[in-house]
Structures are given as structure tokens and as C-alpha cells.
């Protein structure tokens, strides 16, 4: 497996060949990625949805109707229903006028709360991948860190019953995030000390977490439900460990306040990376570990810290899901969940930036919710099919995002510029 | 050749340290086996004593400066003691119920076979310098398309062919991304995994719906050789073919010009290119072969062993195969040994489900923990091919 310095073969190869218009193309590409930073991921997503639509059409369904149903299943049509509504402010009799109907008894508003519930952990698992990426590390282990966070969260949430609401929630969140951080730091530590590739170690740690969770909540497992020994599910967390709901009926899965923590994490991610010494060092190591080492930055230390912070984000995602809406964790939850893996697509589509991750998380949150059994209208499209369609779209997005050279290739065709290693040489006709 | 020369060859191939280390490993195994049926030593001192001998052998080898064999013997000794004590404390009834050697052995072979195919494929792919995280997806594609092909064409042979074609198609996507587009191979492999999950799930639901694959799917037959006894007399054709595959891979990789080219492309593509080897060609071939092999492993799961397909039925076996590649140090028989070990832990986990309850699934985690230990370098580093994961730019 490669060392991280080989992540950017395009630029180096462009500079290596004196005959090409190396600097200008590289510069243009850099500009393209910065200025067109929104355009490329947008096109990527559109293209992936188009190809998904082709599959839908090929199997005899109407892609437009299917996508419309998914759109409505995600509750995004809520934004198109204008009116004069009001929200009552807490602790007062005041009202704020609002353009949209916030009553979640209506399907659109309810579906939107579900989309936002899914977006919350996706933001965090996306950040878990993005932060490590900025340090030149590929954190595939978001899933394992997420599970470890969720396990710790459900343990603390269902024990320590004497605490008051705020401290209990805080205690659970802090410890679960630290557990996730520890899980991530193992991979960082192995990378820093013996050079074990983080992709391999995080994959292995994912599966250790997977089977560890299956053991803990399985029949006869140490964390299995204390009252009903026939089901492989944990105890419920106590009422005082639940995150307060902010929108919707708590009996029917309301949007919880964890979304503010996720949004706060986006801001923290931006500030840490761009406004602190730690972030500067992390990015320096990500750009070029050798140069960073030469500049007096401890590469090993940054590997460990970056993986720990990544794990912290993913662990936070796990505990917010538990305290926010799941309230318990079962063997099936551990085995079926793939929020951490989707975080990879979120981070890459979001170009590893705070804003990008936020938007990509919303897109995937909407896609997951819109294709779920609960939200999608089964008369139009089978939800089981739709779930797999979502997986395909996600895979296609990953494929297209991974191929920055494809963009260069199209660029080459447009500008008639020769790029070494791409095979064809186009004539200077223009 | 004179007897002196034979002795010389033996010494060079089997240095004394190696013999001691292997004896240590064997003692570690004996420490455990002595407590199992048919021996059933009931005193915990038996495994402790034998295990300590194994550890002593390991320490002796370690003191001679050989870390990997030394730590391996020590590890086997410690595990032998631990498992041995565990077994002496279990009830005899449970022991007899869990440890049925013939059943354990055939289950081990059954679970090891899909791993073997995928691991040999993954090893060939990584030897050529392309990392294949997508093994899991290619395996899953093989499992589904084998079932589909067997069902639609009505024969298991064509099922295998369909699986191979599907595996090759997924592998081609990965190869194009990794080789021509120089995309990040981890991203591309992850994408393949999701793509296979989505595609197989989608078409499975679309074609078979809630009823699942038909019960009368053509199955890959067992090979009946009566004089080989109850275990080896009824092995599936794919298991026998996996043994053949191992020999072919070992010989092909280390004894043929193609193998040399493959390895040189994975170690130093520039040098290989300089002497006229087509780096891209070899890499494409290796990735496609790995896809075909992984798909055959998946096909064994669906139309060989279970006779049906369910969504996401590989359930991480591709990743265990990846672990086996690393644990087996990028060698065919190393990968096979790892596959047997990991298949054995799966088999044991299923048999322990009755007496142990959920604790038995910890054996499922064993492959991953062992691989973590292996890459952590505690027992000597496992070293990947030098250029694995690095895209090559033609000059």
C-alpha cells in the first residue's frame, strides 16, 4: 500500500515532463477545483443520479416518478409549500411568523425531520473521514469508531441513573467521543510507530467493533437487555440521558438537538484546520510529510492526533444517534448500520471541506431517508429496490469523485493540451 | 547427488532455528489438542507444561535473533495454554458436543475455501501493485451472478462462468480507475464494494423478490472418493479446485516468467517498463484475474455450499480474505494457511454457539485481531509489495 505522499501523482507527473504545459494545466486544475469546487461535485452527483436513473429505467420503472417519490420521501417538498405559519418560542407566549408549516403531522415536514436526523451522524462521520484526509490519512474506520461511540453511549445512557439531565448527556457524549477517539488513535498509533497502513488497520478495527458489538448485545452477552433475555438488544437508555427534541413529536421520532452539535462540529472542523497551529501542522503533514518533518513538525504525533480527532467525530456520531433517537442498540443495528461507510462518500463528495461535508451529508441524508421503507411510497417504487439504488448512486459518486483524472481528461479534450501518461495526444488545432 | 549434498540441502532449507521454532508451534498446538477428545487431559497442568515448552523454544529462537519465528512459537504456546485451560474447565459433555473432529475439519475447509479463492486473487492483484479493497464486492457479485446464471441457464457450469464474467466486469472497473485514471485505489475499491452491494441487491429484489432464489438451483457437485473417508471423500469440487489453484499460483508466481514479470511490476514498475514489460497490461490482467477468483469464491458460497443467494451474503468474507493476504505475507500457501486458520475460527464459532452463547462470535473477530497484531509488527513485519497502491505513469 502506498505512502500518503503518492496521493497526488497528477501534479508531480505534470511537472516531470518538460514538454507538457505543466504549470499552466496544474494551475488551471487547482483553480478549477477551488473556483469550480461546487461545480465538480455537483456534476458528479448529477451524473451518478442519471446513471441510477438508467438502471431504474432499464428494469421497467419510470425514473422521473421514482426520483420524485424519493424527493418527497425525503421531505424536501416541504420547502415548496409556502404559507403563513408561526412557531411558538419556548419559555414564552411569543410567536415567530414562518413561511413553512412546521407541523410534523404533515408527511412532508415529518419526512424532513427524518432526513435531518440522518444528516446529523452523516455530517460527523463525513468529518471523521475528511479530517484524517487532510492529514494524508485515509480513515476507512469511521464505521468502527461510530459503533464504539454508540456502544459507549448506550452503556452510559442506560447506567448511572442518578445523574441529572445535563450532566448525564454531557457525560455520555464526552466518554463516547473519547472512546471513538481511542479507537481511531489505535490506527494512528500503529501508523506512526510501525508504519502499518491505516487503511488495513482501520478495516480490521471496523470488524473487531462489529463482532465486539455482536458479542456485547447478543444472547447472554454482558450488555444484553436485563429484563428480556430473549432479544439481542441492549437496555433502553434512561429518560434523563435523552437529547431534547427540537422539532416534532417525541413519540414519533422527533428531530433532536444533536443536529446543533453536528453543525458545531462543522465549525470546529473549519476552525481547527484553518485557524490553529494544530490544523496547520495537520495540513502540512497531509501535503507532504517529508517537507513537514524537515520543517520541524512531528509527523508521528500528527498522525495520532489526526486519527484521534477523526475517531472523536465518528464516536460523537454514534452517541448522538443513541441519545437522540435510537435509545438502544441491538446486534442487528451494529451489523446493518453503514453510516460510517457513507461518511467516506460524504467527505469525498464534499471535497473534505466543512461546507462541502455539510451539503453532502444533507444530500445523502435525503437519499437514505427518501429511499427508506418508512418514507418511500411503495406504490411507485419498492423501498427495498430503492435502498439498493441509493447504494448504487453512492458507489457511482465515489467512483466519479475518485477519478479526478477523468476531469483532467475532459479538460484535455476541451483545451487540446497534452498530458503525459494519458495515452492519446491531441493535436494543437484550436 | 551424494548423501552429503542432501544433508547440506536439508540444512540450508531447514536451519536448526527453524526446526526449533516449528517444534514450538507444534507444541503449542499439542498443548491445546491434548485437552480435547480423544485425549481429554483434564488437569490444567498438562497444557501449561506443554505450552511452556513451546514458549521456551520460542524464546530460544528469539535469543538467536530471529523475531518472527520466535514470536510465532511464543504466541502459539500462549494461545495453546489459554485454550487448553479453557477446555479443561469445560464439561466433558460440552467438549464431546463441540469437538467433533470430522465435522470441525470439513466445516473449516468449507469456510476456508471462499477465503482461499479471494485471497489468492487479492494476492495476485497486490503483487502486481494494485490494492484491491473491492474483493468483498467482487465476491458478492460472484455469489449473486452464479446463482442467477445457474438458475437461468440451468447448469452450475454456466453459473460459474456467469460469476467469473461478473467478477471480471467489476474488476475491470477497478482496474480502469486504478491504472488508467490513477484514481485512489482505496476509493475505487470502496466504490466497487458499494456498487456490488447495490447492484446485487437491486437485481436480486427485482428478479426474485421476497421468495428468494429458487430451491432447485443447480449446485456445484461434491466429489465422492470413497476410500478417502468421511471428510475428504465428500468434498465439493470447488474445494479440490482450490488446492489446484494454490499449486498453480505458487508455481506460476515463483517459477515462471509471467510470475517474475508480475512481481517485478509490483515491486518496481519503472524498471519493469524499462526492460519492455507492459506494466499496464500485467496490472489489468492481474486485477481481472483477482476479480474472477474472488467471484469464484463467492460462487462457491451461493451455488456450492448454501444453494441460495441472500442479500449481502458474503458478510465481510472479502475483508477476511484481504486479511489472509496480509497475514499470509503475500504468498499463496501463506494465504491458504491464514484462510484455514480464519475458516477454522469461523467453524469453531458456529459450533460454540450452543454452549457459549454470544461469546462464541468472538471467534469471528479473531482473524481481524490476528491481522492487526501481524501488521503491528509484533511478530515481525509483514511487508507488502513495494509499489502496491501506487499508480504508474508511463513515460
Amino acid at each position: 500500500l502506498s505512502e500518503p505522499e503518492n496521493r497526488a501523482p497528477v501534479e508531480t507527473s505534470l511537472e516531470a515532463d518538460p514538454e507538457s504545459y505543466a504549470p499552466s494545466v496544474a494551475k488551471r486544475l487547482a483553480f478549477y477545483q477551488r473556483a469550480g469546487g461546487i461545480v465538480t461535485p455537483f456534476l458528479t452527483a448529477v451524473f451518478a443520479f442519471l446513471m441510477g436513473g438508467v438502471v431504474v429505467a432499464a428494469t421497467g420503472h419510470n425514473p422521473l416518478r421514482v426520483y420524485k417519490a424519493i424527493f418527497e420521501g425525503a421531505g424536501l417538498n416541504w420547502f415548496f409549500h409556502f404559507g403563513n405559519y408561526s412557531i411558538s418560542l419556548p419559555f414564552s407566549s411569543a410567536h415567530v411568523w414562518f413561511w413553512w408549516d412546521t407541523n410534523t403531522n404533515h408527511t412532508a415536514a415529518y419526512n424532513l425531520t427524518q432526513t435531518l436526523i440522518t444528516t446529523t451522524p452523516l455530517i460527523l462521520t463525513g468529518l471523521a473521514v475528511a479530517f484524517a484526509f487532510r492529514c494524508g490519512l485515509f480513515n476507512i474506520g469511521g464505521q468502527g469508531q461510530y459503533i464504539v461511540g454508540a456502544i459507549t453511549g448506550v452503556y452510559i445512557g442506560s447506567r448511572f441513573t442518578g445523574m441529572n439531565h445535563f450532566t448525564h448527556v454531557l457525560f455520555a457524549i464526552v466518554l463516547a467521543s473519547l472512546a471513538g477517539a481511542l479507537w481511531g488513535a489505535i490506527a494512528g498509533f500503529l501508523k506512526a510507530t510501525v508504519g502499518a497502513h491505516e487503511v488495513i488497520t482501520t478495516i480490521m478495527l471496523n470488524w473487531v467493533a462489529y463482532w465486539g458489538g455482536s458479542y456485547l448485545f447478543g444472547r447472554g452477552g454482558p450488555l444484553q437487555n436485563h429484563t428480556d433475555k430473549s432479544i439481542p438488544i441492549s437496555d433502553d437508555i434512561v429518560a434523563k440521558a435523552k437529547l431534547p427534541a427540537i422539532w416534532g413529536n417525541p413519540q414519533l421520532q422527533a428531530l433532536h438537538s444533536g443536529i446543533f452539535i453536528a453543525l458545531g462540529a462543522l465549525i470546529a472542523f473549519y476552525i481547527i484546520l484553518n485557524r490553529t497551529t494544530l490544523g496547520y501542522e495537520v495540513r502540512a503533514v497531509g501535503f507532504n510529510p517529508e517537507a513537514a518533518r524537515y520543517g520541524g513538525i512531528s509527523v508521528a504525533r500528527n498522525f495520532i492526533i489526526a486519527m484521534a480527532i477523526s475517531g472523536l467525530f465518528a464516536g460523537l456520531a454514534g452517541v448522538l444517534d443513541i441519545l437522540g433517537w435510537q435509545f438502544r442498540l441491538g446486534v442487528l443495528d451494529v451489523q446493518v448500520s453503514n453510516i460510517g461507510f457513507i461518511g467516506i462518500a460524504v467527505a469525498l463528495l464534499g471535497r473534505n471541506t466543512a461546507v462541502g461535508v455539510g451539503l453532502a451529508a444533507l444530500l445523502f441524508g435525503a437519499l437514505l431517508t427518501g429511499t427508506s421503507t418508512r418514507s418511500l411510497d411503495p406504490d411507485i417504487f419498492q423501498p427495498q429496490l430503492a435502498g439498493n439504488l441509493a447504494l448504487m448512486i453512492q458507489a457511482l459518486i465515489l467512483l466519479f469523485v475518485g477519478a479526478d483524472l477523468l476531469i483532467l481528461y475532459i479538460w484535455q479534450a476541451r483545451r487540446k493540451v497534452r498530458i503525459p501518461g494519458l495515452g492519446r495526444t491531441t493535436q494543437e488545432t484550436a | 547427488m551424494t548423501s552429503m549434498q542432501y544433508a547440506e540441502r536439508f540444512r540450508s532449507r531447514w536451519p536448526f532455528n527453524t526446526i526449533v521454532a516449528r517444534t514450538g508451534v507444534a507444541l503449542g498446538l499439542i498443548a491445546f489438542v491434548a485437552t480435547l477428545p480423544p485425549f481429554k487431559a483434564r488437569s490444567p497442568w498438562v497444557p501449561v507444561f506443554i505450552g511452556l515448552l513451546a514458549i521456551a523454544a520460542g524464546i530460544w529462537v528469539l535469543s538467536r535473533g530471529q523475531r518472527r519465528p520466535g514470536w510465532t512459537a511464543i504466541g502459539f504456546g500462549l494461545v495453546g495454554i489459554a485454550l487448553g485451560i479453557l477446555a479443561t474447565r469445560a464439561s466433558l459433555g460440552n467438549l464431546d458436543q463441540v469437538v467433533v473432529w470430522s465435522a470441525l475439519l470439513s466445516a473449516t475447509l468449507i469456510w476456508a475455501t471462499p477465503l482461499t479463492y479471494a485471497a489468492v486473487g487479492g494476492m495476485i492483484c497486490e503483487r502486481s501493485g494494485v490494492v484491491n479493497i473491492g474483493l468483498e464486492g467482487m465476491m458478492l457479485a460472484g455469489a449473486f451472478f452464479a446463482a442467477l446464471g445457474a438458475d437461468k441457464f440451468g447448469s452450475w457450469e454456466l453459473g460459474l462462468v456467469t460469476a467469473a464474467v461478473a467478477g471480471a466486469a467489476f474488476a475491470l472497473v477497478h482496474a480502469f480507475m486504478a491504472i488508467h485514471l490513477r484514481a485512489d485505489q482505496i476509493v475505487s475499491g470502496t466504490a466497487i464494494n458499494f456498487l456490488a452491494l447495490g447492484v446485487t441487491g437491486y437485481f436480486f429484489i427485482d428478479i426474485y423478490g421476497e421468495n428468494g432464489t429458487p430451491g432447485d438451483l443447480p449446485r456445484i457437485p461434491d466429489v465422492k472418493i470413497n476410500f478417502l473417508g468421511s471428510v475428504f471423500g465428500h468434498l465439493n469440487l470447488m474445494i479440490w479446485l482450490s488446492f489446484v489453484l494454490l499449486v498453480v499460483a505458487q508455481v506460476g508466481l515463483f517459477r515462471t516468467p509471467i510470475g517474475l514479470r508480475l512481481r517485478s511490476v509490483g515491486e518496481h514498475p519503472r524498471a519493469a517498463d524499462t526492460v519492455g514489460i507492459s506494466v499496464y497490461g500485467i496490472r489489468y490482467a492481474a486485477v481481472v484475474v483477482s476479480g474472477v477468483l474472488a467471484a469464484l469464491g463467492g460462487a462457491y458460497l451461493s451455488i456450492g455450499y448454501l444453494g441460495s443467494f441472500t442479500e449481502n451474503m458474503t458478510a465481510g468474507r472479502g475483508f477476511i480474505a484481504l486479511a489472509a493476504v496480509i497475514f499470509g505475507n503475500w504468498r499463496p500457501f501463506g494465504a491458504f494457511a491464514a484462510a484455514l486458520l480464519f475458516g477454522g475460527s469461523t467453524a469453531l464459532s458456529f459450533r460454540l454457539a450452543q454452549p457459549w452463547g454470544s461469546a462464541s462470535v468472538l471467534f469471528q473477530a479473531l482473524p481481524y485481531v490476528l491481522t492487526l497484531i501481524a501488521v503491528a509488527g509484533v511478530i515481525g513485519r509483514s511487508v507488502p509489495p513495494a509499489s502496491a497502491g501506487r499508480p504508474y505513469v508511463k513515460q
Side-chain angles (χ1 to χ4, degrees):
Chain A
L1 291 164
S2 74
E3 293 301 314
E5 65 262 31
N6 284 285
R7 281 275 144 67
V10 178
E11 284 85 353
T12 51
S13 74
L14 287 173
E15 278 161 11
D17 190 345
E19 279 177 47
S20 70
Y21 305 132
S24 68
V25 172
K27 258 185 210 160
R28 274 192 193 131
L29 182 70
F31 171 77
Y32 186 64
Q33 290 198 331
R34 271 202 310 274
I38 268 271
V39 177
T40 332
F42 181 74
L43 286 179
T44 303
V46 168
F47 202 45
F49 274 91
L50 277 180
M51 284 188 69
V54 170
V55 175
V56 171
T59 49
H61 306 273
N62 181 345
L64 284 180
R65 283 187 65 197
V66 167
Y67 279 137
K68 184 162 179 288
I70 292 176
F71 187 80
E72 282 170 3
L76 294 177
N77 55 340
W78 181 76
F79 290 102
F80 297 108
H81 295 296
F82 295 104
N84 283 319
Y85 303 100
S86 63
I87 307 175
S88 49
L89 287 182
F91 311 117
S92 72
S93 56
H95 292 271
V96 174
W97 291 104
F98 203 60
W99 288 302
W100 296 288
D101 187 2
T102 54
N103 187 349
T104 53
N105 288 336
H106 300 161
T107 320
Y110 176 76
N111 285 343
L112 187 65
T113 59
Q114 300 309 303
T115 293
L116 293 176
I117 288 176
T118 320
T119 305
T120 304
L122 283 179
I123 290 177
L124 290 162
T125 52
L127 289 181
V129 179
F131 196 86
F133 226 109
R134 287 299 194 83
C135 194
L137 298 170
F138 202 151
N139 178 21
I140 303 261
Q143 183 63 32
Q145 294 145 15
Y146 170 88
I147 290 175
V148 169
I151 290 173
T152 317
V154 87
Y155 175 75
I156 293 171
S158 56
R159 305 291 195 283
F160 307 102
T161 46
M163 298 173 105
N164 72 40
H165 198 160
F166 181 74
T167 37
H168 201 162
V169 168
L170 190 70
F171 185 52
I173 286 180
V174 167
L175 276 198
S177 315
L178 287 180
L182 187 72
W183 208 247
I186 296 174
F189 175 78
L190 288 175
K191 172 90 176 175
T193 50
V194 297
H197 199 284
E198 76 281 0
V199 167
I200 300 299
T201 49
T202 50
I203 286 177
M204 300 304 144
L205 286 168
N206 277 345
W207 288 97
V208 173
Y210 175 102
W211 289 114
S214 306
Y215 159 65
L216 289 174
F217 306 120
R219 283 180 199 166
L223 293 187
Q224 200 211 346
N225 200 304
H226 276 85
T227 45
D228 188 350
K229 285 289 177 195
S230 69
I231 48 167
I233 294 182
S234 73
D235 288 326
D236 283 15
I237 64 169
V238 296
K240 282 191 170 174
K242 292 180 181 173
L243 283 167
I246 55 170
W247 182 14
N249 181 355
Q251 303 300 320
L252 300 166
Q253 229 175 72
L255 177 63
H256 56 86
S257 41
I259 192 161
F260 293 127
I261 300 177
L263 293 175
L266 279 175
I267 298 170
F269 173 87
Y270 178 83
I271 291 175
I272 292 174
L273 267 184
N274 299 304
R275 295 283 179 271
T276 65
T277 323
L278 170 70
Y280 171 76
E281 290 194 0
V282 162
R283 282 182 299 139
V285 171
F287 276 127
N288 189 337
E290 281 313 310
R293 200 194 314 273
Y294 195 71
I297 294 171
S298 165
V299 175
R301 187 172 146 266
N302 277 290
F303 278 162
I304 299 175
I305 289 179
M307 281 306 293
I309 292 180
S310 280
L312 190 113
F313 283 132
L316 193 55
V319 68
L320 290 187
D321 267 358
I322 293 297
L323 306 187
W325 64 275
Q326 274 186 298
F327 308 136
R328 62 192 71 86
L329 194 61
V331 170
L332 209 62
D333 298 319
V334 170
Q335 299 193 340
V336 168
S337 149
N338 58 3
I339 290 289
F341 291 124
I342 300 171
I344 300 169
V346 168
L348 292 178
L349 185 64
R351 297 242 165 214
N352 304 309
T353 62
V355 178
V357 166
L359 292 176
L362 186 61
L363 174 75
F364 278 106
L367 186 62
L368 287 186
T369 309
T371 54
S372 69
T373 325
R374 282 213 316 207
S375 303
L376 186 63
D377 184 354
D379 292 336
I380 296 175
F381 198 52
Q382 257 179 292
Q384 292 95 324
L385 280 182
N388 287 308
L389 178 70
L391 277 172
M392 267 191 262
I393 291 174
Q394 184 194 334
L396 290 170
I397 286 179
L398 270 177
L399 272 182
F400 297 144
V401 169
D404 6 21
L405 223 78
L406 199 64
I407 297 160
L408 250 185
Y409 193 81
I410 296 164
W411 186 260
Q412 174 195 21
R414 260 187 58 210
R415 305 290 300 186
K416 314 282 184 207
V417 180
R418 205 179 72 95
I419 293 163
L422 267 177
R424 230 152 297 153
T425 307
T426 45
Q427 300 294 318
E428 289 274 349
T429 49
Chain B
M1 225 186 261
T2 65
S3 61
M4 283 285 285
Q5 279 171 312
Y6 272 120
E8 187 55 42
R9 250 181 96 177
F10 182 77
R11 249 199 301 281
S12 69
R13 215 169 254 192
W14 291 82
F16 191 57
N17 288 346
T18 312
I19 296 176
V20 173
R22 301 251 162 123
T23 314
V25 169
L27 283 172
L29 285 176
I30 291 171
F32 179 39
V33 171
T35 61
L36 300 178
F39 308 106
K40 293 188 201 164
R42 298 307 292 169
S43 158
W45 294 109
V46 176
V48 168
F49 178 71
I50 306 178
L52 282 177
L53 284 181
I55 293 173
I59 290 174
W60 189 84
V61 175
L62 206 60
S63 72
R64 308 291 294 257
Q66 290 194 306
R67 287 183 62 199
R68 194 185 175 94
W71 280 112
T72 309
I74 292 176
F76 267 82
L78 287 175
V79 172
I81 291 176
L83 291 178
I85 291 179
L86 217 59
T88 54
R89 298 182 62 177
S91 77
L92 277 178
N94 274 347
L95 264 188
D96 283 329
Q97 189 204 335
V98 172
V99 186
V100 182
W101 284 109
S102 59
L104 259 183
L105 195 60
S106 57
T108 298
L109 280 173
I110 283 168
W111 293 116
T113 299
L115 300 181
T116 308
Y117 280 97
V120 170
M123 182 209 67
I124 290 174
C125 193
E126 299 215 346
R127 280 280 184 177
S128 83
V130 180
V131 171
N132 196 347
I133 300 278
L135 280 179
E136 167 86 7
M138 296 171 193
M139 236 174 144
L140 187 61
F144 173 68
F145 284 98
L148 183 68
D151 180 33
K152 298 295 175 204
F153 297 123
S155 85
W156 59 268
E157 292 97 333
L158 287 174
L160 281 184
V161 172
T162 322
V165 171
F170 276 93
L172 264 181
V173 175
H174 182 55
F176 180 64
M177 297 288 295
I179 300 166
H180 260 108
L181 294 184
R182 285 179 251 140
D184 190 305
Q185 296 172 8
I186 309 297
V187 175
S188 151
T190 312
I192 295 289
N193 284 337
F194 279 119
L195 196 61
L197 200 57
V199 166
T200 57
Y202 189 96
F203 286 103
F204 175 66
I205 301 277
D206 198 51
I207 296 171
Y208 295 109
E210 273 149 35
N211 303 325
T213 47
D216 58 343
L217 269 186
R219 301 269 293 267
I220 303 171
D222 289 347
V223 179
K224 293 213 164 43
I225 309 173
N226 286 328
F227 64 88
L228 281 179
S230 62
V231 176
F232 289 93
H234 301 279
L235 290 185
N236 193 277
L237 177 66
M238 292 295 277
I239 301 183
W240 286 110
L241 285 180
S242 76
F243 300 153
V244 177
L245 170 72
L246 280 170
V247 176
V248 170
Q250 174 78 21
V251 173
L253 198 56
F254 296 109
R255 295 272 185 275
T256 66
I258 297 174
L260 183 65
R261 284 178 196 171
L262 182 79
R263 285 180 291 138
S264 67
V265 164
E267 294 292 337
H268 202 310
R270 178 78 66 221
D273 199 6
T274 311
V275 296
I277 298 169
S278 164
V279 176
Y280 283 13
I282 296 258
R283 284 191 172 177
Y284 265 98
V287 178
V288 169
V289 165
S290 85
V292 169
L293 289 177
L296 289 181
Y300 169 70
L301 270 183
S302 68
I303 61 171
Y305 175 57
L306 288 171
S308 65
F309 177 84
T310 49
E311 276 187 87
N312 194 17
M313 77 182 296
T314 46
R317 294 215 169 72
F319 290 109
I320 303 189
L322 191 71
V325 174
I326 298 161
F327 202 70
N329 222 356
W330 288 269
R331 287 167 176 281
F333 279 98
F336 179 59
L340 277 182
L341 182 63
F342 298 167
S345 73
T346 305
L348 203 54
S349 149
F350 285 138
R351 290 200 73 81
L352 279 171
Q354 194 55 32
W356 275 21
S358 93
S360 63
V361 304
L362 288 177
F363 273 92
Q364 305 261 29
L366 192 68
Y368 308 109
V369 175
L370 285 178
T371 307
L372 270 177
I373 294 172
V375 294
V378 181
I379 51 168
R381 285 292 309 285
S382 36
V383 185
S387 289
R390 301 182 183 189
Y392 176 68
V393 188
K394 262 191 252 178
Q395 293 261 303

